[in-house]
Amino acid sequence: MERAVSRAWRATRQLVVGFGLSCACLFLVALFLIALAATALVVGAGMLPETVLTVRRFAGFERRRVGAWTGVEVPEAYTALTGTVVERLRGAAEDPGTLRDLRWVGAQVVYGIVLFCVAVVVWVPAIVVDGLWCGVLGRTPVVLPLLTRIADLASAWSRALLTPSPQALLARRVEQLTETRAGAVAAHGAELRRIERDLHDGTQARLVSLSMRIGLAKRAYDTDPATGRALLDAAQTQAEEALTELRHVVRGIHPPVLTDRGLEGAVRALAASSGLDVEVSVDGTDDGTRAPAAVEAAAYFAVAEALTNAARHSGAERASVTLTRTPRLVRVRVHDEGRGGAEEPLTGTDPEQPRGTGLIGIRRRVAALDGTVRVTSPAGGPTDIEVELPCAW
């Protein structure tokens, strides 16, 4: 009985919010008519795009509300309203989402109020019938579940009215892929320039100096063996330094530890070398199959950036890394108990640093693989960075 009452109250709250939204939609209808009249008089042409944006916000609220109730997200697809007043007007008028949202506004006014009234009426027999049927006889409620069904009906209608057409979703998907592809191309070009700069300014310069020292040692060896030996010792030291720099460049491209030990082993190596006390845990069964190299590299660099930023900026002493493997994706979660505030890139967004020195680098690398990054970092902490990378095992 308690469970049924709890569900009924939750459904009633859902319907009450829907009733309030219906009242707000009445205001939106009046606002839209005023905007149309102002646009027809030309003097208020800029009012219509702003009204459309307001309608989008209300529709977005309803999408989130339906998604929270049903557990299934309602997608959205809109044309951006930017540019001059004429361009914004054209965008608002030509966007199929505008008509879709207006249909929902009109329908919400009707079914939001009607279903709320039905729920109020249902509560009366529910109290009498289920109070006796369940409270006295101990039977299963028969009227209270109707409230949940009414809330489900309202959510189903909102979903049907607000879900974009397949063509609109496809167009939105193409836009997203175009953006991520442009970001991936820019990041790739910047990465190549970084590698070239590291090789030119570091390793190449040391090798040139090494060649000169060996040449001097050859000239001095016959006349002054001690000087020649000293020059050869210095040349050997310089060769070792050049090898160290070369290894650093290679690790920036694809860490050898990732190839040798896999993602889990590489992350544990990162945790061991971090300035924090890092706990690594792994969820999901491992049948020995490894993710594609690009996915492993993106996950590895995301952990590396997150731990580096946590050590430098969070003030935390401990952190945790969780690797989760599912049939369709690899999920990485980095948590620290620091001061938070990591919503913005922590050390800049220089396009010449594609791996980034903050969240922008993680987002670029993950977006190139059609992954997602979620950051929760309120002021005062804690900070959670969760990366999901699609992967077919």
Side-chain angles (χ1 to χ4, degrees), residues 203-254:
T203 307
Q204 178 177 293
R206 289 191 181 278
L207 291 176
V208 170
S209 178
L210 173 62
S211 177
M212 293 175 63
R213 284 182 182 273
I214 293 176
L216 292 173
K218 288 173 63 178
R219 293 181 183 179
Y221 195 78
D222 293 333
T223 58
D224 190 353
T227 301
R229 181 176 293 277
L231 288 171
L232 287 175
D233 290 339
Q236 183 179 9
T237 300
Q238 206 156 25
E240 293 172 353
E241 292 175 351
L243 286 174
T244 300
E245 288 191 359
L246 194 57
R247 291 192 189 99
H248 179 73
V249 173
V250 170
R251 281 196 298 271
I253 300 172
H254 190 84

Side-chain angles (χ1 to χ4, degrees), residues 39-392:
T39 302
L41 296 175
V42 180
V43 292
M47 186 177 178
L48 184 60
E50 294 301 324
T51 303
V52 170
L53 289 176
T54 302
V55 173
R56 288 183 181 183
R57 295 186 187 100
F58 277 88
F61 171 76
E62 178 67 359
R63 286 188 177 93
R64 292 189 296 272
R65 200 170 69 92
V66 171
W69 175 257
T70 62
V72 180
E73 182 181 357
V74 182
E76 66 177 30
Y78 292 117
T79 300
L81 302 184
T82 57
T84 64
V85 173
V86 175
E87 291 172 342
R88 298 180 71 204
L89 275 172
R90 184 182 297 113
E94 295 179 353
D95 185 6
T98 301
L99 180 58
R100 181 173 56 248
D101 288 350
L102 291 176
R103 284 200 302 263
W104 165 76
V105 167
Q108 178 68 37
V109 171
V110 177
Y111 69 76
I113 295 176
V114 171
L115 293 180
F116 171 74
C117 294
V118 171
V120 172
V121 173
V122 168
W123 263 108
V124 177
I127 294 173
V128 177
V129 175
D130 286 341
L132 177 63
W133 184 254
C134 302
V136 178
L137 302 178
R139 301 296 182 88
T140 303
V142 294
V143 181
L144 286 175
L146 293 177
L147 294 167
T148 302
R149 295 179 184 177
I150 294 171
D152 290 340
L153 181 61
S155 297
W157 284 346
S158 292
R159 177 181 295 278
L161 290 167
L162 290 174
T163 299
S165 65
Q167 293 80 4
L169 291 175
L170 180 60
R172 178 59 180 164
R173 181 60 176 157
V174 170
E175 290 179 4
Q176 292 175 344
L177 292 176
T178 301
E179 293 174 1
T180 56
R181 180 180 180 275
V185 170
H188 178 68
E191 182 78 359
L192 290 178
R193 291 191 295 272
R194 182 192 67 82
I195 294 171
E196 180 183 11
R197 184 170 59 249
D198 289 347
L199 291 175
H200 182 273
D201 298 342
T203 307
Q204 178 177 293
R206 289 191 181 278
L207 291 176
V208 170
S209 178
L210 173 62
S211 177
M212 293 175 63
R213 284 182 182 273
I214 293 176
L216 292 173
K218 288 173 63 178
R219 293 181 183 179
Y221 195 78
D222 293 333
T223 58
D224 190 353
T227 301
R229 181 176 293 277
L231 288 171
L232 287 175
D233 290 339
Q236 183 179 9
T237 300
Q238 206 156 25
E240 293 172 353
E241 292 175 351
L243 286 174
T244 300
E245 288 191 359
L246 194 57
R247 291 192 189 99
H248 179 73
V249 173
V250 170
R251 281 196 298 271
I253 300 172
H254 190 84
V257 67
L258 194 59
T259 302
D260 297 338
R261 299 171 58 180
L263 180 59
E264 180 182 347
V267 169
R268 293 190 184 279
L270 278 176
S273 61
S274 173
L276 304 174
D277 180 12
V278 182
E279 178 185 356
V280 179
S281 59
V282 180
D283 295 335
T285 58
D286 186 0
D287 58 2
T289 305
R290 292 182 57 173
V295 172
E296 286 191 340
Y300 174 87
F301 283 119
V303 174
E305 293 286 1
L307 291 180
T308 298
N309 287 324
R312 290 179 179 176
H313 306 283
S314 71
E317 297 181 356
R318 291 180 297 275
S320 64
V321 179
T322 304
L323 302 177
T324 305
R325 167 178 169 152
T326 71
R328 293 187 177 277
L329 59 85
V330 171
R331 182 184 297 113
V332 177
R333 178 175 177 265
V334 181
H335 172 87
D336 72 71
E337 296 290 340
R339 62 177 61 95
E343 288 294 342
E344 296 298 326
L346 295 176
T347 55
T349 59
D350 184 359
E352 293 296 320
Q353 300 176 1
R355 272 195 301 121
T357 48
L359 297 180
I360 189 66
I362 297 176
R363 292 187 187 279
R364 282 179 176 174
R365 188 178 286 271
V366 171
L369 298 176
D370 203 22
T372 59
V373 179
R374 286 188 291 272
V375 179
T376 304
S377 185
T383 295
D384 279 296
I385 300 177
E386 186 174 291
V387 174
E388 290 187 354
L389 293 160
C391 176

